[in-house]
Amino acid sequence: MYYKTISFIKALYGNSRFVPLSAPCFIGNEKKYLNECIDTTFVSSVGKFVDRFEEDMARYTGARKAVVCVSGTNALHMALMSVGVERDDEVLTQALTFIATCNAISYIGAHPVFVDVDKSTMGLSPDALKEWLVKNAVIRNGQCHNKISGRRIKACVPMHTFGHPVRIEEIANICAEYHIELVEDAAESIGSKYKGKHTGLFGKVGALSFNGNKTITTGGGGMLLFMDDELGTLAKHLTTQAKVPHRWEFKHDHIGYNYRMPNINAALGCAQLEHLDEFVADKRATAATYADFFQNVDDIVFFTEPDNCFSNYWLNAVILKDRNAQQTFLQETNDNGVMTRPIWELMNRLPMFEKCEHDGLENTIWFAERVVNIPSSVRL
Ligand SMILES: Cc1ncc(COP(=O)(O)O)c(C=O)c1O
């Protein structure tokens, strides 16, 4: 049934027998920088690439301070802690996300509350957010509380799904009105911008991921982007075991975390970042090719970047007619060497989060039944 689409994707990726969803691309200084780490023995917590990667990323994104972490998940954990999320707080987020968003909230002992996504972005909807807050929130002593549960609502975590920016300005305004901290899960959106500003910079902190399937990779890794120097400096301290600087003494002034990215991973990151703009341009060209092709395919819609946005098109997505069509498409593509994947199981359907409050999630469920990600690797 989807023979034409399968042939098109295979041809786009050089007619290889198996087309992965998102493979890394190493075309620059990766080997040189990795060899330098090995030759100098600086493969671990000491070495010049960690500082350089942070500086390069701050410059690239426009963040005031960038702090590298071992993963995007622990960058999110640290981001939530750095804005003061505590045990038993509530955190507003989307059910249509990768599990890491909710895991990070849970590490603190806070509770996710799920609000719906937008049809135009696939990310958290400012309309749904406002509606939920009008119904459920009350401000007491300058802090937002859930009228029913009584818990403090401390933060909101929108996620830029597949690299497409959410309507982040409106979300930021609503958060400000309700005294809620905005933490962006920008794990998928390196290189993506909203009205020309890099994602992750609209609240006090955002988190990126450099997992192997992302637009650039460090093997495993993440990055915190801060617009507040002081918070950034504190996060750097906490991610490095809260060690008080001294040439030989081991003194620590907080419960810290071993979340520091090793030099060998940062070396890979520096080399990858040198080609990020090329990778994004290539991914956008692939997306444009897909968009053209799917215009002439019945019952499949290619998802394009929302208004005001420059998307990295991390993972291309198509929308099938219904759940049956989605399942058939998944079966046929995967049977024929084209790797495709459905959207993640919704968070509110997982046993750990099935009791969490939500707003009905109409659009979220609509997408879950129809979306399929199709091959999106850089083709350089
Ligand atoms: C939306 C989202 N949040 C968080 C993460 C976590 O990143 P990591 O795998 O680097 O821990 C990922 C990706 O892996 C993600 O897609």
Side-chain angles (χ1 to χ4, degrees), residues 111-372:
H111 306 270
V113 172
F114 302 117
V115 296
D116 208 1
V117 295
D118 260 333
K119 274 275 180 76
S120 62
T121 68
M122 268 198 260
L124 194 115
S125 159
D127 306 321
L129 178 66
K130 183 76 191 235
E131 196 180 319
W132 189 87
L133 285 166
V134 166
K135 226 187 275 171
N136 296 288
V138 60
I139 309 287
R140 270 189 254 122
N141 301 325
Q143 301 207 315
C144 189
H145 287 82
N146 184 326
K147 278 194 260 189
I148 295 138
S149 69
R151 291 182 185 130
R152 181 173 70 158
I153 303 164
K154 183 63 185 172
C156 173
V157 187
M159 194 276 278
H160 303 289
T161 308
F162 307 142
H164 299 300
V166 296
R167 289 156 59 197
I168 191 67
E169 250 178 18
E170 289 164 82
I171 292 173
N173 289 339
I174 296 167
C175 287
E177 182 187 342
Y178 281 85
H179 306 261
I180 294 171
E181 298 288 356
L182 171 59
V183 173
E184 287 171 77
D185 183 341
E188 304 179 354
S189 64
I190 188 166
S192 297
K193 293 170 191 155
Y194 182 87
K195 291 189 183 168
K197 182 166 160 180
H198 200 282
T199 48
L201 303 183
F202 289 80
K204 283 189 190 140
V205 57
L208 307 176
S209 164
F210 306 116
N211 184 28
N213 64 357
K214 295 297 187 295
T215 304
I216 62 169
T217 186
T218 57
M223 177 86 68
L224 291 151
L225 300 178
F226 286 97
M227 292 309 277
D228 178 316
D229 279 329
E230 231 174 274
L231 277 191
T233 304
L234 178 62
K236 182 73 193 171
H237 187 57
L238 294 178
T239 54
T240 50
Q241 300 284 29
K243 185 178 179 296
V244 180
H246 191 282
R247 281 176 64 206
W248 53 81
E249 282 179 0
F250 290 100
K251 284 193 181 149
H252 305 262
D253 59 7
H254 275 91
I255 303 288
Y257 298 82
N258 184 11
Y259 279 0
R260 180 195 178 96
M261 177 186 279
N263 197 47
I264 197 159
N265 299 86
L268 203 51
C270 288
Q272 289 267 282
L273 186 54
E274 289 168 357
H275 291 276
L276 176 57
D277 283 339
E278 248 176 285
F279 291 174
V280 171
D282 180 79
K283 286 168 87 68
R284 289 177 61 81
T286 300
T289 308
Y290 274 138
D292 270 358
F293 171 75
F294 283 111
Q295 256 178 3
N296 300 313
V297 178
D298 289 341
D299 295 328
I300 301 183
V301 172
F302 182 73
F303 194 86
T304 52
E305 68 191 351
D307 290 346
N308 299 315
C309 296
F310 176 88
S311 173
N312 67 4
Y313 282 92
W314 168 57
L315 282 189
N316 292 297
V318 288
I319 300 174
L320 280 296
K321 185 165 81 240
D322 54 26
R323 187 161 193 86
N324 276 343
Q326 180 199 45
Q327 296 304 311
T328 308
F329 186 85
L330 283 164
Q331 186 78 47
E332 286 189 19
T333 45
N334 285 292
D335 282 352
N336 287 285
V338 171
M339 185 173 170
T340 59
R341 288 291 179 266
I343 220 155
W344 315 275
E345 180 67 281
L346 299 179
M347 293 301 107
N348 60 308
R349 291 177 176 166
L350 298 176
M352 308 80 80
F353 304 114
E354 67 190 2
K355 295 205 171 69
C356 292
E357 197 173 333
H358 65 74
D359 68 359
L361 306 174
E362 192 183 326
N363 293 341
T364 303
I365 293 165
W366 189 91
F367 279 123
E369 289 173 347
R370 290 167 178 79
V371 168
V372 176

